[in-house]
């Protein structure tokens, strides 16, 4: 017996559910120190600020300590530590995914433009520098313990006898 | 061999491997050349056979009789304050320290590293003063 099916192909209506941002793992909360695992800033200890709408984590070095700017980082490339820093004095509520969007250039697609020598890189915008300073001031100012400062400046390093699966962070 | 520790009835042993790892127990009888009957009612070790490969003998010997009842073993164990003696001994302290090291957080490990560097620097400085120049 052949299974019944309608003569006309009917599109199944699928209800689209709102995407939730990824769950924060390791009990991570604002002010927590994370270790970056990949990229230019591998091994650096940074401070978690908040989770952005897209799910990525907003972190900052602070820039003066370890050269890590306000940055978006996927959670999978971080290791949360149990150390927490006070970030209540810092305002980063205005930073969202749109803040990190690339500026669109209206390039004319002509032959000359294609073969012309590449334009110089646009300098880092002053507005972003100011934002970095203001966010970091609220954090760095509250870190009085010199050991914590040194801790944030130092990179995480594995040595002989240290096995990540046995380490407690 | 100055102080040889013998397997004897009443020898307190520390379990190194297996489900009873990390606990103290008393040798109550010897089964054969490889196994002992072991009991630790005060420390949570059920009366059972235990291969000698799993245990380390401690300095402590208790006046326990062969095949003594668990309840009486517990009485002797508690009256001799074995756990207290063990925690004060070098071996007991060593184990406590290694547990502490294993549970260090990232920040604590960093502080330890800084302290060790400071110590070695100070040591090298002093050694330089005392070193004989060739």
């Amino acid at each position: 017996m052949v299974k019944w099916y309608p003569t006309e192909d009917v599109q199944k209506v699928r209800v689209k559910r709102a995407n939730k941002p990824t769950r924060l793992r390791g009990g991570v909360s604002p002010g927590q120190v994370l270790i970056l695992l990949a990229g230019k800033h591998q091994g650096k200890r940074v401070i978690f600020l908040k989770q952005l709408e897209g799910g990525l984590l907003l972190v900052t070095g602070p820039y003066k300590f370890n050269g890590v700017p306000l940055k978006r980082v996927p959670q999978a490339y971080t290791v949360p530590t149990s150390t927490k820093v006070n970030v209540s004095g810092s305002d980063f509520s205005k930073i969202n995914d749109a803040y990190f969007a690339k500026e669109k250039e209206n390039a004319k697609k002509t032959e000359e433009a294609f073969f012309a020598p590449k334009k110089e890189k646009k300098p880092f915008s002053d507005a972003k520098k100011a934002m970095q300073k203001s966010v970091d001031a609220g954090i760095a100012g509250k870190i009085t313990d010199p050991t914590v400062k040194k801790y944030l400046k130092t990179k995480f390093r594995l040595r002989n006898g240290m096995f990540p699966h046995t380490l407690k962070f | 061999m100055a102080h040889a520790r013998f397997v004897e009835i009443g020898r307190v042993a520390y379990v190194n491997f297996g489900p009873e790892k990390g606990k103290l127990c008393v040798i109550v009888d010897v089964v054969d050349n490889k196994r002992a009957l072991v009991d630790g009612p005060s420390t949570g070790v059920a009366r059972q056979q235990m291969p000698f490969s799993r245990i380390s003998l401690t300095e402590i010997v208790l006046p326990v009789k062969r095949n003594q009842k668990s309840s009486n073993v517990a009485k002797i164990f508690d009256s001799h304050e074995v756990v207290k003696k063990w925690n004060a001994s070098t071996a007991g302290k060593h184990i406590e320290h290694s547990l502490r090291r294993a549970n260090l957080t990232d920040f604590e490990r960093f502080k330890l590293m800084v302290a060790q560097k400071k110590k070695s620097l100070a040591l090298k400085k002093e050694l330089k003063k005392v070193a004989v120049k060739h």
Side-chain angles (χ1 to χ4, degrees):
Chain A
M1 194 60 210
V2 179
K3 189 184 170 201
W4 176 88
Y5 60 91
T7 47
E8 299 267 346
D9 276 327
V10 181
Q11 278 281 55
K12 227 184 178 179
V13 176
R14 289 207 174 151
V15 180
K16 189 174 185 188
R17 288 192 289 181
N19 276 332
K20 282 194 270 182
T22 34
R23 186 167 53 96
L24 281 181
R25 299 176 68 231
V28 172
S29 54
Q32 197 116 7
V33 175
L34 308 174
I35 299 173
L36 298 182
L37 296 175
K40 193 163 79 166
H41 302 287
Q42 273 184 47
K44 291 200 179 156
R45 293 170 172 123
V46 296
I47 297 171
F48 168 71
L49 297 176
K50 67 173 182 181
Q51 187 178 28
L52 300 168
E53 318 90 56
L56 298 174
L57 309 184
L58 175 68
V59 297
T60 182
Y63 187 69
K64 275 208 164 157
F65 288 1
N66 48 28
V68 178
L70 284 162
K71 195 173 154 60
R72 294 187 295 180
V73 164
Q75 210 185 162
Y77 294 110
T78 65
V79 169
T81 64
S82 52
T83 325
K84 250 185 109 163
V85 160
N86 191 355
V87 289
S88 57
S90 169
D91 179 27
F92 39 83
S93 50
K94 296 224 177 87
I95 306 175
N96 50 18
D97 278 321
Y99 178 86
F100 294 98
K102 272 197 190 155
E103 288 168 26
K104 278 199 171 174
E105 288 177 34
N106 289 320
K108 288 189 184 169
K109 290 190 179 173
T110 59
E111 264 193 54
E112 296 127 27
F114 189 76
F115 288 110
K118 281 207 172 145
K119 284 189 207 153
E120 285 157 18
K121 255 177 111 174
K122 283 206 175 137
F124 198 63
S125 86
D126 286 329
K128 289 202 173 172
K129 278 191 194 167
M131 176 63 93
Q132 178 80 50
K133 262 196 171 169
S134 72
V135 171
D136 284 352
I139 302 170
K142 292 220 172 162
I143 300 174
T144 48
D145 190 357
T147 330
V148 178
K149 268 194 197 164
K150 228 183 170 179
Y151 176 62
L152 289 171
K153 286 190 181 195
T154 320
K155 275 199 201 178
F156 172 77
R157 187 166 71 126
L158 281 175
R159 308 192 70 197
N160 273 349
M162 287 172 87
F163 307 110
H165 72 287
T166 60
L167 290 181
K168 283 221 169 116
F169 288 95
Chain B
M1 284 209 302
H3 290 284
R5 296 177 196 175
F6 294 109
V7 168
E8 52 194 304
I9 313 297
R11 173 72 63 183
V12 174
Y14 178 82
V15 186
N16 291 315
F17 307 110
E20 313 290 358
K21 180 178 177 173
K23 296 183 190 161
L24 289 173
C25 55
V26 186
I27 294 175
V28 153
D29 197 0
V30 174
V31 178
D32 59 14
N33 73 325
K34 287 206 171 169
R35 290 174 293 171
L37 182 67
V38 128
D39 198 0
S42 315
T43 53
V45 179
R47 187 163 232 176
Q48 61 190 284
Q49 293 178 64
M50 184 78 78
F52 289 120
S53 57
R54 275 201 217 166
I55 58 175
S56 301
L57 304 178
T58 67
E59 291 286 325
I60 309 162
V61 184
L62 301 173
V64 170
K65 295 201 181 96
R66 187 174 76 88
N67 279 333
Q68 186 140 35
K69 245 168 73 166
S70 266
S71 52
N72 291 333
V73 172
K75 277 192 199 152
I76 298 171
F77 195 94
D78 294 333
S79 67
H80 283 258
E81 291 184 333
V82 177
V83 178
K84 216 177 167 190
K85 280 190 196 158
W86 168 251
N87 286 335
S89 70
T90 6
K93 278 198 201 145
H94 183 81
I95 284 165
E96 185 198 317
H97 288 164
S98 57
L99 274 174
R100 176 93 178 90
R101 268 197 193 212
N103 288 328
L104 285 179
T105 64
D106 189 48
F107 186 42
E108 287 173 338
R109 249 177 274 125
F110 171 78
K111 285 195 272 189
L112 180 71
M113 186 259 291
V114 169
Q116 279 178 336
K117 270 183 135 180
K118 220 178 176 182
K119 174 185 161 195
S120 81
L121 212 79
L123 212 79
K124 280 186 188 156
K125 224 178 180 179
E126 290 299 312
L127 281 175
K128 248 192 168 174
K129 287 185 198 167
V130 181
V132 176
K133 299 227 165 135
H134 295 282

